[in-house]
Amino acid sequence: MSLLQKIEELSRQMVRGCTKVTPGGVTLFTPDGVASYDALWLRDFSYMVEYAPETVEAEEIIGCVNFAVGGHREDGWMPDRIYADGLAVYAAGEVGKPVGEANLDNTPFLVYIVSDLMKKIDHAQGQKLFAQWYDALAQGLLVVPTDADGLVYSDPARPHSPYGFTDTVAKTGSLMMESLLLWRACRKMEAMCAAFGKTDDRWRVMAEKIEAHIGHLYDTESGMFLAADHDCRQIDIWGNAYMLYIGFPAGAARETILRYLKEHVDEYVFAGQIRHLPKGQYWERLLIDVPHETYQNGAYWATATGWLAWCLYQADPALGLKVLTEAGDYLLNEGSFECVNAGYQKLPSFVVSATNVLGGMRRLAQESPEARTALEK
């Protein structure tokens, strides 16, 4: 088996090994196979559906979306996660002990799930389901707080738990990664509206506003975008890579981002896995204490490997493939952990570490015959 085939098989095993069935018969997909995260987390499930779509059946996705939509709050917020008994939780942290306000990425990831579902079902069924879910999805996007320029905003006095893979981090003010997530959700809503004959111009307007003003977070000295403009005004490695990976119109910043990522690769890669910030830097403000070099404050994650490897491939194909291959080898030989560091491995059987590496491999294999040859050896 080639490396690509091995990661495909690993992803399949992990997705099918993380299921939990509700009393009502809905199959939920948890972030790991050891019940540490014993609920349906929307962003993790979204990554599974996007990067390993063949591992989840359409009817299973429909069941999860219905379950999540059924847990939306009266004010419009979608859950961060929802447990088998139907308990919906909106912010990071233990049940009853939220870490900040509701997560800013809950509804965007649900929109991605719905969008990817549409590729698996026929037009008539898609139109019916989109109409059924539309009002809840729209309300969930519209309650995400934004500043006057349309960028996602987190009040320094009452910070939100932001993007879920930084949900211990008190990024405040206008935010980068979270604005990208909202932009992408708006573009997907716009596309689904067009496909199903629904007129609603709000999504195009919101997306264009983000495009027009994201430059507010650009740091001319580094050529990178900053995570936030108040607390945690720091270079966001994941966010910059994701910006290019999802096709956000970055303009001239595209080349400065690629150059930075190539020149500083040793500052954010370990075993093919990716640090949130350049090495030696730590988040300026946290929602809970996270020791340096662990978890979201200095450890390395395969969650972002596919995005970074794809970006690196644009600048240096050999380097992009090296990162992907090292990540794949680590997953197969050491395990699929939530995050790692020298002498540190957190939570085995973490599903998106495998599926997100797979997503990057498949995209490069599709776009580049040379990459396909290398990954299919």
Side-chain angles (χ1 to χ4, degrees):
M1 291 176 69
S2 67
L3 178 61
L4 177 58
Q5 289 171 324
K6 289 176 181 177
I7 299 302
E8 286 175 339
E9 177 58 20
L10 176 64
S11 295
R12 186 195 66 78
Q13 292 175 359
M14 297 193 71
V15 172
R16 299 317 308 182
C18 76
T19 59
K20 182 182 182 68
V21 180
T22 72
V26 177
T27 299
L28 305 183
F29 294 79
T30 69
D32 65 277
V34 292
S36 179
Y37 291 101
D38 196 20
L40 174 76
W41 259 260
L42 296 186
R43 73 191 61 80
D44 293 75
F45 184 52
S46 175
Y47 286 142
M48 297 176 207
V49 171
E50 179 173 2
Y51 298 131
E54 75 284 2
T55 65
V56 186
E57 298 297 326
E59 289 305 313
E60 293 175 323
I61 299 172
I62 293 168
C64 287
V65 173
N66 280 327
F67 204 61
V69 170
H72 78 278
R73 214 161 63 182
E74 286 187 5
D75 61 2
W77 281 101
M78 287 293 176
D80 166 60
R81 62 193 185 274
I82 187 163
Y83 291 84
D85 63 1
L87 175 65
V89 180
Y90 305 92
E94 298 177 20
V95 175
K97 298 179 180 178
V99 175
E101 300 294 314
N103 282 65
L104 292 165
D105 63 351
N106 297 348
T107 305
F109 277 106
L110 185 56
V111 170
Y112 307 162
I113 295 167
V114 172
S115 177
D116 286 325
L117 168 67
M118 298 308 170
K119 302 170 188 175
K120 290 176 167 281
I121 59 180
D122 63 36
H123 186 271
Q125 187 182 16
Q127 188 168 36
K128 179 180 177 181
L129 289 170
F130 187 60
Q132 177 183 321
W133 295 327
Y134 185 77
D135 288 345
L137 293 175
Q139 188 182 14
L141 290 178
L142 294 172
V143 297
V144 176
T146 55
D147 63 17
D149 291 329
L151 302 180
V152 173
Y153 181 81
S154 184
D155 185 350
R158 291 180 61 87
H160 283 261
S161 184
Y163 165 53
F165 282 81
T166 53
D167 60 14
T168 64
V169 182
K171 293 181 274 185
T172 70
S174 303
L175 309 183
M176 186 229 181
M177 180 66 167
E178 296 70 17
S179 296
L180 295 176
L181 295 171
L182 180 60
W183 172 85
R184 190 178 189 224
C186 288
R187 287 303 190 194
K188 288 183 178 294
M189 288 286 277
E190 180 186 12
M192 287 189 285
C193 284
F196 298 124
K198 184 169 186 63
T199 302
D200 193 336
D201 205 39
R202 290 177 294 181
W203 315 121
R204 178 189 60 80
V205 171
M206 288 171 65
E208 289 180 352
K209 199 170 183 182
I210 292 170
E211 291 172 16
H213 296 287
I214 196 77
H216 168 66
L217 292 165
Y218 185 69
D219 175 50
T220 54
E221 183 177 349
S222 66
M224 295 282 276
F225 286 85
L226 303 175
D229 72 351
H230 191 72
D231 293 304
C232 302
R233 188 178 168 85
Q234 298 167 270
I235 292 172
D236 182 348
I237 298 293
W238 287 34
N240 281 270
Y242 190 70
M243 170 182 273
L244 302 189
Y245 191 84
I246 63 173
F248 185 92
R254 183 180 192 276
E255 294 308 313
T256 66
I257 292 169
L258 291 177
R259 182 165 59 248
Y260 180 99
L261 293 176
K262 178 183 176 181
E263 292 177 353
H264 295 264
V265 65
D266 292 338
E267 297 176 27
Y268 63 82
V269 174
F270 170 80
Q273 297 170 71
I274 312 300
R275 214 174 183 274
H276 291 91
L277 300 173
K279 192 172 183 179
Q281 297 184 31
Y282 306 96
W283 291 109
E284 293 169 350
R285 183 181 175 190
L286 295 167
L287 293 166
I288 60 172
D289 181 52
V290 181
H292 289 180
E293 299 301 318
T294 70
Y295 196 45
Q296 296 170 3
N297 202 23
Y300 299 78
W301 302 62
T303 301
T305 292
W307 315 332
L308 261 300
W310 181 87
C311 288
L312 290 171
Y313 192 87
Q314 313 310 305
D316 184 336
L319 185 57
L321 285 173
K322 179 176 182 286
V323 169
L324 263 187
T325 301
E326 287 179 353
D329 288 342
Y330 192 97
L331 294 173
L332 295 171
N333 297 320
E334 292 284 336
S336 185
F337 293 91
E338 183 176 26
C339 54
V340 301
N341 208 332
Y344 172 83
Q345 295 172 325
K346 184 181 186 300
L347 188 62
S349 299
F350 194 70
V351 182
V352 303
S353 290
T355 61
N356 288 24
V357 169
L358 175 61
M361 288 182 170
R362 283 178 163 170
R363 180 165 177 183
L364 279 183
Q366 181 180 19
E367 294 178 357
S368 165
E370 293 79 13
R372 173 175 286 277
T373 298
L375 293 167
E376 289 185 343
K377 283 183 180 179

